[in-house]
Amino acid sequence: MTPLSSATGPDLQADLNRAGFYPKMVADIIDEALDGRETGAHLVHLETHFDQHEVHRHITVLVLAEDVLLVTHVDDQQLDEKGKEVMAQVSTELVQLSKVTTVATSYVYHQPQNYRTGDMVKELTLGIAWAGAQRIDLAPAGCADPACDADHGYTGTSQQEDLVLRVSAEADGVKAVTAARSFAKSMRRASAPRGTEARTAPAPAAEVRGRVSSRFGRNTHQG
């Protein structure tokens, strides 16, 4: 296998090889999208979903490179029952770090009453927002009266997020959670540097509404 160029580095290549999801193709796409930029932190997240008798896999690769965040996503799909004909769809998005508005992390600990410094996180969810996309979670509203059958409408939450990745120690392994946590720290440092460094002003609302960007097909990055 031809290794990635020095612009992307051997650690990313090793993680792509370890994931085993068309590593050469993904590496070439990343090289093309970065266009010679020097890379920093990265995160490779592979997920598998079962749909009745079919198995669907997809991989998301996040790469910090100088002043940008590269988001690469690959889905594959079997075109016949025997799996001899396979199609891969690749999407990339190059995001200016100055446009990133939110880096959110959610942690899950088991038995928090016994927590000690350094205890392992069981699940970690990383959310990154840059273009104003909103996720709205709704559920029927209720009241305290168990006998009430009135329609109370809906209640829910709205969160700004363009990308959401969920990693769990049970499904993905402890190393995957550690890697995601490390990347989240790097992402926070890169997108919200300390001190008085100037940041590019946010894009006007009209520009944001008019921007065309892929949300990577069916995948919602929530595992």
Side-chain angles (χ1 to χ4, degrees):
M1 177 177 295
T2 303
L4 285 169
S5 69
S6 58
T8 50
D11 292 340
L12 177 54
Q13 178 70 72
D15 285 347
L16 292 175
N17 291 345
R18 192 175 299 112
F21 192 78
Y22 314 120
K24 179 173 175 52
M25 181 188 70
V26 177
D28 286 346
I29 292 294
I30 290 174
D31 260 347
E32 178 180 328
L34 290 179
D35 195 22
R37 289 180 174 87
E38 292 291 335
T39 62
H42 68 270
L43 180 63
V44 177
H45 184 52
L46 178 67
E47 294 181 85
T48 302
H49 295 283
F50 298 92
D51 181 11
Q52 295 183 352
H53 300 296
E54 296 183 353
V55 178
H56 298 286
R57 299 184 299 166
H58 54 88
I59 191 171
T60 304
V61 183
L62 309 181
V63 181
L64 283 171
E66 298 179 8
D67 59 342
V68 299
L69 167 68
L70 174 64
V71 182
T72 303
H73 184 77
V74 185
D75 283 288
D76 72 350
Q77 181 179 357
Q78 294 182 1
L79 302 181
D80 64 340
E81 293 183 356
K82 296 182 179 180
K84 292 184 178 180
E85 297 292 330
V86 181
M87 176 185 68
Q89 180 177 357
V90 186
S91 300
T92 64
E93 187 164 0
L94 203 63
V95 182
Q96 290 289 331
L97 288 174
S98 60
K99 303 295 185 182
V100 174
T101 58
T102 302
V103 179
T105 47
S106 175
Y107 306 89
V108 174
Y109 286 92
H110 288 186
Q111 300 297 101
Q113 69 275 18
N114 299 325
Y115 174 80
R116 296 292 184 272
T117 300
D119 281 359
M120 186 61 207
V121 178
K122 297 298 183 181
E123 295 180 13
L124 184 142
T125 301
L126 170 63
I128 303 173
W130 60 85
Q134 295 281 334
R135 185 186 74 180
I136 301 177
D137 296 320
L138 294 177
C143 68
D145 182 2
C148 178
D149 59 359
D151 184 359
H152 296 281
Y154 290 86
T155 184
T157 59
S158 173
Q159 301 181 35
Q160 185 182 28
E161 54 193 24
D162 289 273
L163 175 78
V164 178
L165 286 178
R166 175 182 170 272
V167 186
S168 73
E170 182 177 354
D172 306 297
V174 172
K175 290 184 178 180
V177 176
T178 301
R181 193 173 189 178
S182 177
F183 182 83
K185 292 179 182 178
S186 298
M187 189 69 214
R188 286 194 293 266
R189 294 189 187 105
S191 62
R194 297 177 181 177
T196 57
E197 297 180 22
R199 293 287 301 278
T200 303
E207 179 183 343
V208 171
R209 287 195 297 270
R211 184 182 296 123
V212 177
S213 60
S214 170
R215 290 292 151 250
F216 312 128
R218 70 174 183 274
N219 175 48
T220 57
H221 307 289
Q222 296 188 64

